[in-house]
Short mmCIF file of all heavy atoms in Angstrom, two decimals:
data_model
loop_
_atom_site.label_atom_id
_atom_site.label_comp_id
_atom_site.label_asym_id
_atom_site.label_seq_id
_atom_site.Cartn_x
_atom_site.Cartn_y
_atom_site.Cartn_z
N LEU A 1 258.11 54.12 40.52
CA LEU A 1 259.00 55.15 39.98
C LEU A 1 258.96 56.43 40.81
O LEU A 1 259.97 57.14 40.90
CB LEU A 1 258.63 55.45 38.53
CG LEU A 1 259.02 54.34 37.55
CD1 LEU A 1 258.39 54.59 36.19
CD2 LEU A 1 260.52 54.23 37.45
N ALA A 2 257.82 56.73 41.41
CA ALA A 2 257.75 57.90 42.29
C ALA A 2 258.63 57.70 43.52
O ALA A 2 259.24 58.65 44.01
CB ALA A 2 256.30 58.15 42.70
N LEU A 3 258.70 56.46 44.00
CA LEU A 3 259.54 56.17 45.17
C LEU A 3 261.01 56.04 44.80
O LEU A 3 261.88 56.39 45.60
CB LEU A 3 259.07 54.87 45.83
CG LEU A 3 257.71 54.94 46.51
CD1 LEU A 3 257.19 53.54 46.81
CD2 LEU A 3 257.80 55.76 47.78
N ARG A 4 261.28 55.51 43.61
CA ARG A 4 262.67 55.29 43.17
C ARG A 4 262.74 55.53 41.66
O ARG A 4 262.54 54.61 40.86
CB ARG A 4 263.08 53.86 43.51
CG ARG A 4 264.53 53.61 43.33
CD ARG A 4 264.92 52.27 43.89
NE ARG A 4 266.06 51.78 43.12
CZ ARG A 4 266.14 50.59 42.58
NH1 ARG A 4 265.18 49.72 42.75
NH2 ARG A 4 267.18 50.24 41.89
N PRO A 5 263.02 56.75 41.24
CA PRO A 5 262.97 57.11 39.82
C PRO A 5 263.92 56.31 38.93
O PRO A 5 263.69 56.19 37.74
CB PRO A 5 263.36 58.59 39.82
CG PRO A 5 263.05 59.08 41.18
CD PRO A 5 263.27 57.92 42.09
N ALA A 6 264.96 55.74 39.46
CA ALA A 6 265.93 55.00 38.65
C ALA A 6 265.58 53.52 38.52
O ALA A 6 266.39 52.74 38.02
CB ALA A 6 267.32 55.14 39.25
N HIS A 7 264.41 53.10 38.94
CA HIS A 7 264.01 51.69 38.91
C HIS A 7 263.69 51.29 37.46
O HIS A 7 262.63 51.57 36.94
CB HIS A 7 262.80 51.48 39.81
CG HIS A 7 262.56 50.06 40.19
ND1 HIS A 7 262.27 49.08 39.28
CD2 HIS A 7 262.56 49.45 41.40
CE1 HIS A 7 262.09 47.93 39.90
NE2 HIS A 7 262.27 48.14 41.19
N LEU A 8 264.63 50.62 36.80
CA LEU A 8 264.49 50.30 35.37
C LEU A 8 263.37 49.31 35.09
O LEU A 8 262.64 49.46 34.11
CB LEU A 8 265.81 49.76 34.82
CG LEU A 8 266.92 50.77 34.65
CD1 LEU A 8 268.16 50.11 34.07
CD2 LEU A 8 266.48 51.92 33.78
N GLU A 9 263.24 48.29 35.92
CA GLU A 9 262.19 47.29 35.65
C GLU A 9 260.81 47.90 35.83
O GLU A 9 259.89 47.55 35.09
CB GLU A 9 262.39 46.07 36.54
CG GLU A 9 263.53 45.19 36.09
CD GLU A 9 263.42 44.75 34.63
OE1 GLU A 9 262.36 44.24 34.21
OE2 GLU A 9 264.41 44.91 33.90
N ALA A 10 260.64 48.81 36.78
CA ALA A 10 259.34 49.48 36.93
C ALA A 10 259.06 50.34 35.70
O ALA A 10 257.93 50.37 35.20
CB ALA A 10 259.33 50.33 38.19
N ARG A 11 260.07 51.01 35.18
CA ARG A 11 259.89 51.83 33.97
C ARG A 11 259.55 50.94 32.78
O ARG A 11 258.68 51.25 31.98
CB ARG A 11 261.14 52.65 33.69
CG ARG A 11 260.92 53.70 32.61
CD ARG A 11 262.03 54.71 32.56
NE ARG A 11 262.24 55.42 33.81
CZ ARG A 11 261.51 56.46 34.24
NH1 ARG A 11 260.51 56.90 33.51
NH2 ARG A 11 261.80 57.05 35.37
N TYR A 12 260.22 49.80 32.67
CA TYR A 12 259.93 48.85 31.58
C TYR A 12 258.49 48.32 31.70
O TYR A 12 257.76 48.26 30.71
CB TYR A 12 260.94 47.70 31.62
CG TYR A 12 260.61 46.59 30.66
CD1 TYR A 12 260.75 46.77 29.29
CD2 TYR A 12 260.15 45.37 31.11
CE1 TYR A 12 260.45 45.76 28.40
CE2 TYR A 12 259.85 44.35 30.24
CZ TYR A 12 259.99 44.55 28.89
OH TYR A 12 259.68 43.55 28.02
N ARG A 13 258.09 47.98 32.91
CA ARG A 13 256.72 47.46 33.11
C ARG A 13 255.67 48.53 32.84
O ARG A 13 254.61 48.23 32.29
CB ARG A 13 256.59 46.90 34.52
CG ARG A 13 257.41 45.64 34.68
CD ARG A 13 257.57 45.19 36.10
NE ARG A 13 258.55 44.10 36.14
CZ ARG A 13 259.13 43.67 37.22
NH1 ARG A 13 258.85 44.21 38.39
NH2 ARG A 13 260.01 42.70 37.15
N ARG A 14 255.98 49.78 33.18
CA ARG A 14 255.04 50.85 32.84
C ARG A 14 254.94 51.02 31.34
O ARG A 14 253.86 51.27 30.81
CB ARG A 14 255.47 52.16 33.52
CG ARG A 14 254.46 53.28 33.32
CD ARG A 14 254.79 54.49 34.12
NE ARG A 14 255.92 55.21 33.56
CZ ARG A 14 256.34 56.38 34.01
NH1 ARG A 14 255.74 56.96 35.05
NH2 ARG A 14 257.37 56.98 33.47
N ALA A 15 256.05 50.86 30.64
CA ALA A 15 256.04 50.96 29.18
C ALA A 15 255.20 49.85 28.56
O ALA A 15 254.41 50.08 27.64
CB ALA A 15 257.47 50.92 28.64
N VAL A 16 255.37 48.64 29.04
CA VAL A 16 254.59 47.51 28.52
C VAL A 16 253.10 47.73 28.79
O VAL A 16 252.25 47.47 27.92
CB VAL A 16 255.09 46.18 29.14
CG1 VAL A 16 254.17 45.02 28.78
CG2 VAL A 16 256.51 45.89 28.70
N ALA A 17 252.77 48.24 29.96
CA ALA A 17 251.37 48.52 30.28
C ALA A 17 250.82 49.63 29.39
O ALA A 17 249.69 49.54 28.90
CB ALA A 17 251.24 48.90 31.76
N ALA A 18 251.61 50.66 29.16
CA ALA A 18 251.16 51.75 28.28
C ALA A 18 250.94 51.23 26.86
O ALA A 18 249.97 51.61 26.20
CB ALA A 18 252.18 52.88 28.29
N ALA A 19 251.81 50.37 26.38
CA ALA A 19 251.65 49.80 25.04
C ALA A 19 250.38 48.96 24.98
O ALA A 19 249.67 48.99 23.97
CB ALA A 19 252.87 48.96 24.67
N ALA A 20 250.09 48.22 26.03
CA ALA A 20 248.88 47.40 26.07
C ALA A 20 247.63 48.27 26.04
O ALA A 20 246.59 47.86 25.54
CB ALA A 20 248.88 46.50 27.29
N MET A 21 247.74 49.49 26.57
CA MET A 21 246.60 50.41 26.56
C MET A 21 246.62 51.32 25.33
O MET A 21 245.86 52.27 25.26
CB MET A 21 246.61 51.26 27.84
CG MET A 21 246.38 50.45 29.09
SD MET A 21 246.26 51.44 30.59
CE MET A 21 247.87 52.19 30.69
N MET A 22 247.54 51.03 24.40
CA MET A 22 247.70 51.77 23.14
C MET A 22 248.14 53.21 23.35
O MET A 22 247.90 54.08 22.51
CB MET A 22 246.42 51.73 22.29
CG MET A 22 246.06 50.33 21.81
SD MET A 22 247.39 49.47 20.96
CE MET A 22 247.55 50.44 19.49
N ASP A 23 248.81 53.50 24.44
CA ASP A 23 249.45 54.79 24.65
C ASP A 23 250.89 54.62 24.16
O ASP A 23 251.84 54.51 24.94
CB ASP A 23 249.40 55.19 26.12
CG ASP A 23 249.89 56.61 26.36
OD1 ASP A 23 250.33 57.25 25.39
OD2 ASP A 23 249.84 57.05 27.52
N LEU A 24 251.05 54.60 22.84
CA LEU A 24 252.31 54.22 22.23
C LEU A 24 253.41 55.24 22.46
O LEU A 24 254.58 54.88 22.60
CB LEU A 24 252.10 53.97 20.74
CG LEU A 24 251.06 52.89 20.42
CD1 LEU A 24 250.87 52.76 18.92
CD2 LEU A 24 251.43 51.57 21.04
N GLU A 25 253.07 56.52 22.51
CA GLU A 25 254.10 57.55 22.72
C GLU A 25 254.70 57.44 24.12
O GLU A 25 255.92 57.53 24.29
CB GLU A 25 253.52 58.96 22.49
CG GLU A 25 253.31 59.30 21.03
CD GLU A 25 252.13 58.56 20.38
OE1 GLU A 25 251.22 58.12 21.12
OE2 GLU A 25 252.15 58.42 19.15
N ALA A 26 253.84 57.23 25.11
CA ALA A 26 254.35 57.07 26.48
C ALA A 26 255.20 55.80 26.58
O ALA A 26 256.25 55.80 27.24
CB ALA A 26 253.20 57.01 27.48
N ALA A 27 254.77 54.75 25.91
CA ALA A 27 255.54 53.50 25.92
C ALA A 27 256.90 53.71 25.28
O ALA A 27 257.92 53.25 25.82
CB ALA A 27 254.77 52.40 25.19
N MET A 28 256.94 54.40 24.13
CA MET A 28 258.23 54.64 23.47
C MET A 28 259.15 55.49 24.33
O MET A 28 260.36 55.24 24.40
CB MET A 28 258.02 55.29 22.10
CG MET A 28 257.57 54.31 21.05
SD MET A 28 257.61 54.98 19.38
CE MET A 28 256.07 55.84 19.30
N ALA A 29 258.60 56.49 25.01
CA ALA A 29 259.42 57.35 25.88
C ALA A 29 260.03 56.54 27.02
O ALA A 29 261.23 56.67 27.32
CB ALA A 29 258.58 58.50 26.41
N ASP A 30 259.22 55.71 27.68
CA ASP A 30 259.75 54.89 28.77
C ASP A 30 260.77 53.87 28.27
O ASP A 30 261.79 53.65 28.92
CB ASP A 30 258.61 54.18 29.51
CG ASP A 30 257.96 55.05 30.57
OD1 ASP A 30 258.58 56.05 30.98
OD2 ASP A 30 256.84 54.72 31.00
N LEU A 31 260.49 53.25 27.14
CA LEU A 31 261.44 52.27 26.61
C LEU A 31 262.75 52.92 26.21
O LEU A 31 263.83 52.35 26.42
CB LEU A 31 260.81 51.53 25.42
CG LEU A 31 259.67 50.58 25.80
CD1 LEU A 31 258.92 50.12 24.56
CD2 LEU A 31 260.20 49.40 26.58
N ALA A 32 262.68 54.12 25.64
CA ALA A 32 263.90 54.83 25.29
C ALA A 32 264.71 55.16 26.55
O ALA A 32 265.95 55.06 26.55
CB ALA A 32 263.57 56.09 24.51
N ALA A 33 264.03 55.53 27.63
CA ALA A 33 264.72 55.81 28.88
C ALA A 33 265.39 54.56 29.44
O ALA A 33 266.52 54.61 29.95
CB ALA A 33 263.74 56.39 29.91
N VAL A 34 264.72 53.42 29.33
CA VAL A 34 265.31 52.17 29.79
C VAL A 34 266.56 51.85 28.97
O VAL A 34 267.60 51.48 29.52
CB VAL A 34 264.29 51.00 29.71
CG1 VAL A 34 264.97 49.66 29.92
CG2 VAL A 34 263.18 51.20 30.73
N LEU A 35 266.46 52.02 27.66
CA LEU A 35 267.60 51.70 26.80
C LEU A 35 268.75 52.70 26.96
O LEU A 35 269.90 52.33 26.75
CB LEU A 35 267.15 51.62 25.34
CG LEU A 35 266.32 50.37 25.03
CD1 LEU A 35 265.74 50.45 23.64
CD2 LEU A 35 267.15 49.12 25.22
N ARG A 36 268.46 53.94 27.31
CA ARG A 36 269.54 54.89 27.60
C ARG A 36 270.30 54.45 28.84
O ARG A 36 271.51 54.54 28.92
CB ARG A 36 268.98 56.30 27.81
CG ARG A 36 268.87 57.10 26.55
CD ARG A 36 268.61 58.58 26.83
NE ARG A 36 267.50 58.85 27.72
CZ ARG A 36 266.22 58.92 27.34
NH1 ARG A 36 265.90 58.71 26.08
NH2 ARG A 36 265.28 59.18 28.21
N ALA A 37 269.57 53.97 29.85
CA ALA A 37 270.21 53.56 31.10
C ALA A 37 270.88 52.20 30.98
O ALA A 37 271.92 51.96 31.60
CB ALA A 37 269.17 53.52 32.22
N GLN A 38 270.28 51.31 30.20
CA GLN A 38 270.83 49.96 30.04
C GLN A 38 270.66 49.54 28.58
O GLN A 38 269.67 48.91 28.21
CB GLN A 38 270.10 48.99 30.96
CG GLN A 38 270.69 47.61 30.99
CD GLN A 38 269.93 46.70 31.94
OE1 GLN A 38 269.03 47.12 32.66
NE2 GLN A 38 270.30 45.45 31.95
N PRO A 39 271.62 49.87 27.73
CA PRO A 39 271.49 49.61 26.30
C PRO A 39 271.30 48.14 25.94
O PRO A 39 270.73 47.83 24.90
CB PRO A 39 272.80 50.13 25.71
CG PRO A 39 273.33 51.08 26.72
CD PRO A 39 272.85 50.59 28.05
N GLY A 40 271.71 47.23 26.77
CA GLY A 40 271.60 45.81 26.44
C GLY A 40 270.31 45.16 26.90
O GLY A 40 270.19 43.94 26.86
N HIS A 41 269.32 45.92 27.35
CA HIS A 41 268.07 45.36 27.86
C HIS A 41 267.28 44.76 26.69
O HIS A 41 266.65 45.46 25.91
CB HIS A 41 267.26 46.46 28.55
CG HIS A 41 266.16 45.95 29.41
ND1 HIS A 41 265.04 45.33 28.90
CD2 HIS A 41 266.00 45.96 30.76
CE1 HIS A 41 264.23 45.00 29.89
NE2 HIS A 41 264.81 45.37 31.03
N ALA A 42 267.33 43.44 26.56
CA ALA A 42 266.73 42.74 25.42
C ALA A 42 265.22 42.93 25.36
O ALA A 42 264.65 43.13 24.28
CB ALA A 42 267.08 41.26 25.48
N GLY A 43 264.55 42.86 26.50
CA GLY A 43 263.09 43.03 26.52
C GLY A 43 262.68 44.41 26.04
O GLY A 43 261.71 44.55 25.29
N ALA A 44 263.42 45.43 26.45
CA ALA A 44 263.09 46.79 26.04
C ALA A 44 263.32 46.96 24.54
O ALA A 44 262.52 47.61 23.86
CB ALA A 44 263.91 47.80 26.82
N ARG A 45 264.38 46.39 24.02
CA ARG A 45 264.64 46.48 22.56
C ARG A 45 263.51 45.81 21.78
O ARG A 45 263.01 46.36 20.81
CB ARG A 45 265.96 45.80 22.21
CG ARG A 45 267.17 46.60 22.56
CD ARG A 45 268.41 45.97 21.89
NE ARG A 45 269.59 46.71 22.24
CZ ARG A 45 269.89 47.90 21.75
NH1 ARG A 45 269.10 48.47 20.90
NH2 ARG A 45 270.99 48.52 22.12
N ARG A 46 263.14 44.61 22.19
CA ARG A 46 262.08 43.87 21.51
C ARG A 46 260.76 44.63 21.59
O ARG A 46 260.06 44.78 20.59
CB ARG A 46 261.97 42.48 22.15
CG ARG A 46 261.02 41.55 21.49
CD ARG A 46 261.03 40.16 22.10
NE ARG A 46 260.94 40.16 23.57
CZ ARG A 46 261.94 39.86 24.39
NH1 ARG A 46 263.12 39.53 23.93
NH2 ARG A 46 261.77 39.88 25.70
N GLU A 47 260.44 45.14 22.77
CA GLU A 47 259.18 45.86 22.95
C GLU A 47 259.18 47.17 22.17
O GLU A 47 258.16 47.56 21.60
CB GLU A 47 258.95 46.13 24.45
CG GLU A 47 257.60 46.69 24.77
CD GLU A 47 256.44 45.75 24.53
OE1 GLU A 47 256.65 44.53 24.41
OE2 GLU A 47 255.29 46.25 24.46
N LEU A 48 260.32 47.86 22.10
CA LEU A 48 260.40 49.10 21.34
C LEU A 48 260.17 48.84 19.86
O LEU A 48 259.47 49.61 19.19
CB LEU A 48 261.74 49.79 21.57
CG LEU A 48 261.90 51.19 20.96
CD1 LEU A 48 260.82 52.14 21.47
CD2 LEU A 48 263.28 51.73 21.25
#
């Protein structure tokens, strides 16, 4: 994301990793950003 801030899959993967580490607020923020950019992202909806 530092190299390419608009990389949706990297943002989604960071959210999944944050959720696995129980950083739920950071995960929700990243997932919301993914869904704003791509509302039909099924994985992000399910994970959110």
Side-chain angles (χ1 to χ4, degrees):
L1 288 169
L3 291 165
R4 190 171 151 230
H7 198 297
L8 288 181
E9 285 305 310
R11 191 166 302 280
Y12 172 71
R13 291 168 189 165
R14 186 172 74 174
V16 171
M21 295 185 297
M22 296 307 292
D23 188 357
L24 302 177
E25 285 73 22
M28 282 191 277
D30 276 342
L31 290 168
V34 169
L35 288 172
R36 271 193 308 277
Q38 186 179 354
H41 196 291
R45 284 192 181 287
R46 186 176 49 252
E47 188 67 17
L48 186 58

